[in-house]
Amino acid sequence: MTHAVTRRAAMLGAAATSGSLLLAGGNAGAQQKPAELRVGITTFLSGAASVFGVPAKQAAEMLFEEINKAGGIGGVPVKAFFVDEAPGTDHLVGEYRRLVQNEGVHIIFASISSGSCLACTPLSDEMRKTTLLWDCGTQRIFEEGPHPYAFRTQGYGTPEVLAPLLYLLKHKPDFKTLAVINQDYAWGRDSWEMWKAGMDALKPGVRVVAEMFPRFGATDYSTEVTRLLAARPDVVLSTSWGGDLVTLVRQATERKLFDRSTFVLPVAEASLQTLGRNMASGHIIGARGDHWNNHPKPKDPARLAKFVDSYRAKFNEYPIYPCHHMAQAISAMQAGFAKAIAAKGGAWPNDQELANAFRGLTFDTPTSSITLREDGQGLEDQIVGMSTFTDRFPFAVPKDMVIFPAAMVSTPVGMKSVEWLKTLKPDILAQMAAPIAG
Amino acid sequence: MSATDRALAAPPRTMRLPEALLAVLGAAALVLVAFLAPWLKFVLTVALAKGIAVLGILLLLRAGQVSFGHSMFLAVGAYTVAFLAPAVPEALLLLPLGALLAGILGLVIGLFVVRYRDIFFGMLNLALSMVLYSLLEKLYALTKGTDGIRVSGLTFAGITPDRETQEWVMFGLALVLAIGFGLLVRAYLASPMGRALAGIKTRETRLEFMGVSARRVLLFAYVMSAVMGGVGGTLVAMTTRHVTPQLAYWTSSGELVFIAILGGAGSALGPFLGATAFELVRVYAAAAVADAWQMILGGVLLAVILFAPGGLWGMLTSRLKGRGA
Amino acid sequence: MAEWLTDNGLLLGLALLDGLAYAALVFMVAVGLNMVFGVLRIVNVAHGSLFAIGAYTAASVGIFFASLGLPAWASYVALLLAAALVGGILGPLIERLILRRIYGQEEVLQLLVTFALFMILEDVQKLIWGVQPIMQDTPMKFLGTVEVPFGEDTIPFTAYQLFVLPGVAVATLAGLAWFLRRTLTGRVIVAVTTDKEAAMAMGIDAAKVTLLTFTFGAALAALGGALASPTTSLVPGIGAQTIVLSFAVVATAGLGQIEGAAISALMIGLGRSIAVYLAPEFEVVVPYIIMVAVLLVRPQGLFGVLETRRV
């Protein structure tokens, strides 16, 4: 019987705890200065995409600590509530509601996965909660309808594909055949559709010898590599990332595919550290932005060095681009709150006032500055270069870097990316800046 | 008879009253919680929807069969809503449509899988659900792949409610359907067809000596469970408003079986107890330790199986019995 | 058809080479799963986690060896050591502490216990090794590449993929066949697989046999992971993918069948790599289609023995 009693006690205890959790929060939207600024952050903490999500979370924790040491935002300390994207969209939309309705967060940073972003932005409309899209790249978000409370604090698919394409056309103009091997999900498919539209407009007649979309998270590409070796394309495009890209590059390097074809890897940056010396030199690499460790002329070199050094000291690795994207969202949040508080004469903004502050906001990053244009899309510069090795880093970095100003490679407001890319004329190549050795 | 067998067997008649009472109490508690904590309304709606799908698993468990691919029917219901919502935004039409399609698929697959028992039954269901998963993932032009499809705006009996009202409507719809299917399953299990299910588990050949076709009995249960899976799926899609192939992945099917065991297979209330507990544990575990929630769920499952094989329902009834004695 | 073959025959030849290596890896995992099922009558969902942990351990040991300055061939020792470590420690732990408590219970409970273990081990693995891809490809690099003629051209394949993977799989198959048929312990395992009650009645210590078999099966899964580790980058989630594929292999083969597992692994491996050439859209579906097709014709699997129904 003692057994039963302890069990009953345990159940009562559990009920009491859940009861208190049930009734916690609930007074969201209060306009007096809150005791803490609550930030909901959705990111991958498990599954294959956690290679992006966990470093970003680490960066957020580090920066929040720094902000709080310096007195918080508007005198209010910041607190993060992390949510795992991995269990699926149905779980995530529930978590979004929990963040807003139960934790009473003031702002949400949403999502690495495009699927998650597509699910969260309509929620931001419904719940009127300012949501910063901190990493996802799908062009569909702002091109398929307005989202008054959503803002993307970094670039997106179109510039991230167009910049490497322009770089290829300028630096290897005489290629005739191309093969693509992308992950089988929105980014892999959309990036290929955009690349193809741009390529057909700027250099018609390129023959596509293989189109392969291996499963997201595939662990073996040997058959695909064999097929690429046999087809001998001049250029191999892959917008893959994470473990997928690492595996592909390793299996391709080992079997000398890098000697036969020029690779274009627009998302290479996040994997170069893991690859180390396994990456080949002389291939085109991108970073989903301009935040390379060897940025040729960062706007604020001291800030970049401090960010990289503190991150390295703390986590024993270099920050990768999702860390920078997280830092950008945090900078945007600081700038947005400062603007909203100033606009209200020092008082704390409500949800509507906060969202208003983000429209047209410009904020600084260590390397440049980003403006959120009227549709909510951020304008982030892109840097593409050729992989090489230096004494400074134990992994590949770009040389012959070209900085693409965001406005040049982004779809104009109100247009759809694929349609816009089809209208490109070869004279856009003439606008390209000269490469910087690096 | 082991403790588990006893837990899986039909409840004795004397349990009827407390079961009905508990169902009413449980429903009232859910409404109260949904009222007090608005954000939980969403979690509870999903729990009720999954509970309906788990009711289907319960039927198969009665026959001693485990489907490790049952979430394919959930996915069929959910994708029916996602595909048809732009053309037919009426929720009250989409719901039976999703159930119907899941039922048809259940009939086709059922004709094939009811010939198998035990591990082969489980593995075949797993394989077929993985075929569906792979197709949903691969046929990008149709399904948008792993990103999934957002469910466009819905109407309820021709009316487009605001967000708050719609949440209540969905919650109410799920609750009513849960009660309806719960009663249906109770009646079914008490009928000769339902009792024959238990026969498949213990002495299938004798069943056939008596002139009962085991396959037909199992097929009927399988199609019913597919329909309930479909209903659960349509509700999930209408609540979350976004569907992805993940719904059909084998781990999602594992979760459904998990819920069945967590709740206890002894009563039609078990699935709803289990689903509510599961979703709440998941939500709170995810909130407390965002990067180790799986471990907590796994630990809960392990503890239930090792120490309370009758599930939550078993714990509740043994408590009630103890009090009565 | 003939014309198509002359155009694509060479390519299909290449696909066979790829399929072979893939089949070898799948076989290593599936055969362990099958043995465990034969004796314990439990489909171990956590088998995929053992594969993943084996792979991670192999990479860690390999990196550790390299840091000691050991020569490249020592990385092969690391592979074997990892398999022995994971099998020898996790195997008995899981069997003794958890599985032992649920023998003879409902099948669904046994399955779910291993599902729970799978969920726990997925997070444990993440806590230990983190989420960044880990790679340790010394064993693959050590042997270099082989140029395979392809018309006028040649295609480089790694010797590891071409020889080591199929070689180890064939050796495992032969070794297992010898062990199960020629040694006393092996025969005891076969006896328990065929008829547990009769074997126990004859005085066989079933507890010892289950412990031994589970440990051995765990070691095989870990060895599969260790062998896969040089060719791939290790990321969270590899266990979940591996286990469903092994289920397909085992069900196609027939439960408890060792040689059957080899043949169905070959079918599934080759089917998949041919699909990459002909219909890449369906690459992922191929294993399940093969399984469903086989079970339609032979409900007990290719080599399974029909069980009598309960009376």
Side-chain angles (χ1 to χ4, degrees), chain C residues 206-262:
Chain C
K208 210 166 111 188
V209 175
T210 46
L211 176 65
L212 189 80
T213 311
F214 191 82
T215 307
F216 199 63
L220 277 174
L223 182 61
L227 282 173
S229 69
T231 67
T232 178
S233 43
L234 307 177
V235 288
I238 50 174
Q241 283 164 24
T242 311
I243 191 65
V244 267
L245 205 61
S246 325
F247 283 159
V249 170
V250 169
T252 309
L255 290 155
Q257 294 296 312
I258 306 295
E259 283 89 350

Side-chain angles (χ1 to χ4, degrees), chain A residues 12-27:
Chain A
L12 282 175
T17 326
S18 63
S20 63
L21 271 164
L22 277 179
L23 303 174
N27 56 345

Side-chain angles (χ1 to χ4, degrees), chain B residues 30-313:
Chain B
L30 287 182
V31 174
L32 189 70
V33 168
F35 186 73
L36 286 177
W39 71 278
L40 274 181
K41 186 158 67 238
F42 172 84
V43 176
L44 292 177
T45 311
V46 173
L48 285 168
K50 286 192 178 164
I52 294 174
V54 175
L55 261 182
I57 294 219
L58 187 84
L59 290 186
L60 302 175
L61 279 179
R62 275 295 161 86
Q65 306 305 317
V66 193
S67 166
F68 237 65
H70 211 67
S71 63
M72 68 180 140
F73 299 114
L74 203 102
V76 167
Y79 271 89
T80 305
V81 172
F83 279 131
L84 295 185
V88 191
E90 177 52 53
L92 299 181
L93 272 176
L94 287 171
L95 197 75
L97 266 174
L100 180 71
L101 283 177
I104 291 172
L105 183 73
L107 182 65
V108 174
I109 291 182
L111 281 170
F112 166 43
V113 296
V114 294
R115 294 157 54 201
Y116 303 82
R117 295 291 176 274
D118 303 332
I119 217 67
F120 283 105
F121 180 85
M123 290 296 115
L124 265 176
N125 276 296
L126 173 82
L128 290 165
S129 74
M130 287 303 287
V131 169
L132 180 69
Y133 168 78
S134 310
L135 291 177
L136 290 176
E137 193 189 30
K138 271 287 170 185
L139 301 180
Y140 184 81
L142 229 64
T143 63
K144 286 280 167 218
T146 47
D147 296 271
I149 307 174
R150 178 166 167 75
V151 177
S152 57
L154 298 170
T155 62
F156 296 81
I159 303 161
T160 314
D162 62 66
R163 180 176 62 83
E164 182 67 25
T165 321
Q166 180 162 342
E167 282 178 17
W168 275 111
V169 170
M170 281 314 302
F171 176 75
L173 200 57
L175 190 60
V176 167
L177 284 168
I179 294 172
F181 276 106
L183 290 173
L184 183 69
V185 162
R186 263 184 68 112
Y188 170 67
L189 287 177
S191 75
M193 275 293 256
R195 292 191 183 271
L197 273 180
I200 294 180
K201 181 173 170 184
T202 46
R203 40 193 133 234
E204 180 168 345
T205 321
R206 278 192 213 172
L207 209 60
E208 304 220 327
F209 287 159
M210 287 157 59
V212 181
S213 161
R215 279 188 191 171
R216 198 168 304 156
V217 169
L218 190 55
L219 181 62
F220 189 78
Y222 193 84
V223 173
M224 249 183 99
S225 75
V227 167
M228 286 187 256
V231 170
T234 50
L235 290 175
V236 166
M238 290 173 187
T239 312
T240 61
R241 306 278 307 278
H242 196 98
V243 300
T244 64
Q246 184 70 29
L247 286 169
Y249 198 56
W250 72 271
T251 48
S252 308
S253 296
E255 273 178 20
L256 295 181
V257 183
F258 177 150
I259 292 172
I261 296 302
L262 178 66
S267 155
L269 278 178
F272 301 104
L273 267 176
T276 312
F278 177 86
E279 292 294 327
L280 288 180
V281 168
R282 176 150 97 165
V283 162
Y284 282 109
V289 269
D291 38 14
W293 58 272
Q294 254 200 122
M295 195 189 279
I296 292 179
L297 274 181
V300 168
L301 178 58
L302 205 56
V304 165
I305 295 176
L306 292 183
F307 304 115
L312 295 175
W313 174 251

